[in-house]
Amino acid sequence: MIGKLKGLIDSYGEDHVIIDVQGVGYVVQCSARTLQRLPQPGEAAALSIETHVREDAIRLYGFMSDVERDWFRLMQVVQGVGAKVALAILSTLDPGGLATAIATNDKAAIARAPGVGPKLAQRLCAELKDKAPAFGHIDPGVAQLAGALEDRKLPQPIADAVSALANLGYPQAQAVAAVAAAAKAAGDGAGTAQLIKLGLKELAK
C-alpha cells in the first residue's frame, strides 16, 4: 500500500494531480484546497496518500497532511459519505474548520460542501462530535457549550447571545466560541447584552 508520494509535479487535472516519482506518473485525486496549495509543474511536492483498492481500480487520494488524511478516513465511516463527498467537504473546510464545525454542531458550514445536504451534515455532526476535539485541538469548553446549546440546557443569556451573533451573520461555530470566551471573561451572572458586546470583541480579534 502507498502511504506517501514524493516527486515532481507533472501536470494537473480538474480533480487530480500527476506526480512523477522517478519516471513513474501517479494519478492522485485531491481536494480543491490541496490542489491550490501544490506548486507549479516541474517543482517538488510530497503528499500523504490513502490507497483504495477495488475490484476494477486502484485509486490514490492525496493530502497535504496526515491530519487531513485522517479526517478523510474518519468521515467515510458515516453512512452516505464516500471518497467523493469526503473530498468535497475537505475542499470546503480545512481540517481545523471541519473539527470546529463538527464539535460545535455547525451543520450549515458542512452543508456548504457540494453533495452534502442538511441530513447528511447532521449525521456527520452527530456521529463524529466525540472525535472532533481530538482531531482539531478544540477547546473542550467550546464543545461542551455547543452540546448544551443543542440540548437546550444553556442559561438563557448565553443562548440568546449565541443566537444574536448568528443572526448578525457569524457562523454558529464562531458565535459559540466567541460567547464561550465572553462568558469565561464576564463570569457568572453576565447578561445577554454584556455577552454580545464581549463576544463581538472576541470576533474582532
Side-chain angles (χ1 to χ4, degrees), residues 3 6 10 13 20 29 50 71 95 113 122 124 133-134 137 146 151 166 175 187 189 191:
K6 187 175 183 179
D10 180 88
D20 185 331
Q29 307 287 317
E50 176 75 358
W71 270 114
Q122 173 63 51
L124 277 159
H137 308 292
D151 296 337

Side-chain angles (χ1 to χ4, degrees), residues 14-89:
E14 184 177 343
D15 60 356
H16 67 271
V17 61
I18 297 178
I19 297 184
D20 185 331
V21 182
Q22 298 181 346
V24 178
Y26 292 88
V27 178
V28 184
Q29 307 287 317
C30 300
S31 69
R33 188 178 293 274
T34 293
L35 290 174
Q36 289 167 4
R37 293 174 62 191
L38 288 171
Q40 297 295 317
E43 297 184 14
L47 288 172
S48 295
I49 299 295
E50 176 75 358
T51 306
H52 283 191
V53 180
R54 301 286 185 266
E55 290 184 4
D56 58 344
I58 297 175
R59 293 187 183 278
L60 304 180
Y61 298 91
F63 309 92
M64 295 301 294
S65 68
D66 290 345
V67 172
E68 186 180 16
R69 182 180 62 189
D70 289 344
W71 270 114
F72 177 76
R73 291 171 175 167
L74 181 64
M75 283 190 287
Q76 291 180 74
V77 306
V78 177
Q79 183 182 357
V81 179
K84 183 176 180 180
V85 170
L87 281 183
I89 293 171

